[in-house]
Amino acid sequence: MTGVLPESWERFLRGAGMSPEIWREPLERSALRRREHEVYPPPDAVFAALELTPPDAVRVVLLGQDPYHEPGQAEGLAFSVPEHVPPPPSLRNIFTEYATDLRRPLPTSGSLRPWARGGVLLLNSLLTVDAGAAGSHCKFGWGRFTDGIIAALSARTTGLVFLLWGNFARKKRPLIDPERHTVIAGVHPSPLSAYRGFFGSRPFSATEAARPGWVWPSLH
């Protein structure tokens, strides 16, 4: 991964009428920011979610807000961290619900790459962030780009499941055609809200029920 939009996604988004400037502008702004600040994830991981899950492989879209902003955590996939990094609290809560819902063992690694390779687009709304400053790149134009991805998937595919956890993600619902896709909206898995409806919501089994024949890839 080189920090260049994967060719499969470029073709897909151009076919949906998206101008390349929509993704080039925020990428260039984040590159300029790196000259003076620590920015996450690394340049070669900015488009990791799109690299690992091409358009024709997408079965589920799990939407996050922006990358982790602590050292060593962000790897370009929503909620995921590299294998050697302890899972942050929200991810631990995701794993708890995953294991309970699907009656599987608790994952031992915080990497969600098996999900990405198995058709789960782990898409953050913002693709870069300053170290220690959540939401710091919200005006770079990433939201316009990722909203375009959601809208294009909605319009050009059928039968996807969109998982929208928390108020921020639920605001993306108008971008999704409910006649063509399934939307599973719920509480965010953060420690502040997980006990207010995330635990016990069973989003993983609901996703499998909405996509007969597809199952969540196993995690380590």
Side-chain angles (χ1 to χ4, degrees), residues 63-66 124-126 165-172:
L63 187 67
Q65 187 163 348
D66 61 352
N124 278 317
S125 181
L126 309 179
W165 293 338
N167 292 333
F168 180 88
R170 289 198 296 267
K171 291 178 181 177
K172 307 298 182 179

Side-chain angles (χ1 to χ4, degrees), residues 8-19 23 152 156:
S8 61
W9 279 101
E10 181 165 355
R11 288 196 307 269
F12 181 79
L13 295 174
R14 283 179 180 269
M18 186 181 292
S19 166
W23 63 81
R156 303 189 71 204

Side-chain angles (χ1 to χ4, degrees), residues 65-111:
Q65 187 163 348
D66 61 352
Y68 293 120
H69 53 81
E70 298 300 325
Q73 292 184 332
E75 62 169 0
L77 306 173
F79 295 106
S80 182
V81 293
E83 289 192 7
H84 65 281
V85 176
S90 290
L91 184 55
R92 292 201 301 269
N93 290 338
I94 290 171
F95 285 166
T96 296
E97 182 64 18
Y98 164 85
T100 302
D101 186 5
L102 299 180
R103 298 183 179 180
R104 294 184 181 182
L106 274 172
T108 57
S109 166
S111 175

